[in-house]
Amino acid sequence: MIIEQEATCIQAGRLLYEAQDQEELSFTLLDHFVRNAADPEQKVRLMLWHWSTMQNEDQITTLLRVCGSTYKNLTESKKHPKFELTDYHRLLAQQLQSAGYISSYSEGKNVIRMNAKQR
């Protein structure tokens, strides 16, 4: 099975990232691709491209935790991590707020701050 072959998953993840594939994945496959993506930006973009794959807060939490320490702070109650102001961070903030995962976000000159809700 492809899930058990890390090198294959890494290559498939690169192909998905490069092609910006819009096909819906299973959560298990998305989780594996995100875990094996080369850097946090690729991880977040994969999440955003396949947002509808995540069915609940636990799945969002799982993927945010593998994106890196700053993203992990979003999973902890009342944290207010700052991110570089980019198109993908803005879209992540919008998606997280729409899903009720964060309470709010605000943009500064070069940063976007996301406010984790109380859990």
Side-chain angles (χ1 to χ4, degrees):
M1 181 174 207
I2 192 171
I3 298 301
E4 297 169 2
Q5 300 174 3
E6 185 174 343
T8 303
C9 287
I10 290 170
Q11 182 60 29
R14 282 191 194 116
L15 292 172
L16 276 175
Y17 176 72
E18 290 168 4
Q20 298 185 17
D21 192 319
Q22 297 297 321
E23 294 292 320
E24 189 169 325
L25 303 175
S26 72
F27 179 76
T28 303
L29 195 54
L30 177 60
D31 179 50
H32 223 65
F33 286 150
V34 170
R35 287 177 190 278
N36 289 290
D39 58 52
E41 179 180 349
Q42 287 183 356
K43 292 173 189 277
V44 172
R45 287 188 184 276
L46 278 168
M47 284 178 62
L48 292 170
W49 292 330
H50 300 284
W51 191 264
S52 63
T53 299
M54 294 177 283
Q55 301 295 317
N56 57 53
E57 192 172 291
D58 289 339
Q59 291 179 339
I60 295 170
T61 298
T62 297
L63 294 183
L64 286 173
R65 286 184 175 159
V66 301
C67 287
S69 60
T70 306
Y71 298 95
K72 185 178 177 183
N73 286 337
L74 289 169
T75 70
E76 298 172 12
S77 188
K78 298 183 180 180
K79 295 279 184 162
H80 312 284
K82 292 181 187 176
F83 301 88
E84 179 183 1
L85 184 56
T86 62
D87 62 328
Y88 68 93
H89 283 137
R90 180 180 288 124
L91 183 56
L92 178 64
Q94 292 167 350
Q95 292 285 63
L96 290 172
Q97 186 174 33
S98 177
Y101 196 87
I102 61 172
S103 58
S104 63
Y105 67 93
S106 59
E107 295 181 17
K109 185 175 182 178
N110 295 314
V111 297
I112 186 165
R113 178 187 299 264
M114 298 184 212
N115 303 305
K117 72 176 191 175
Q118 186 172 355
R119 298 196 182 338

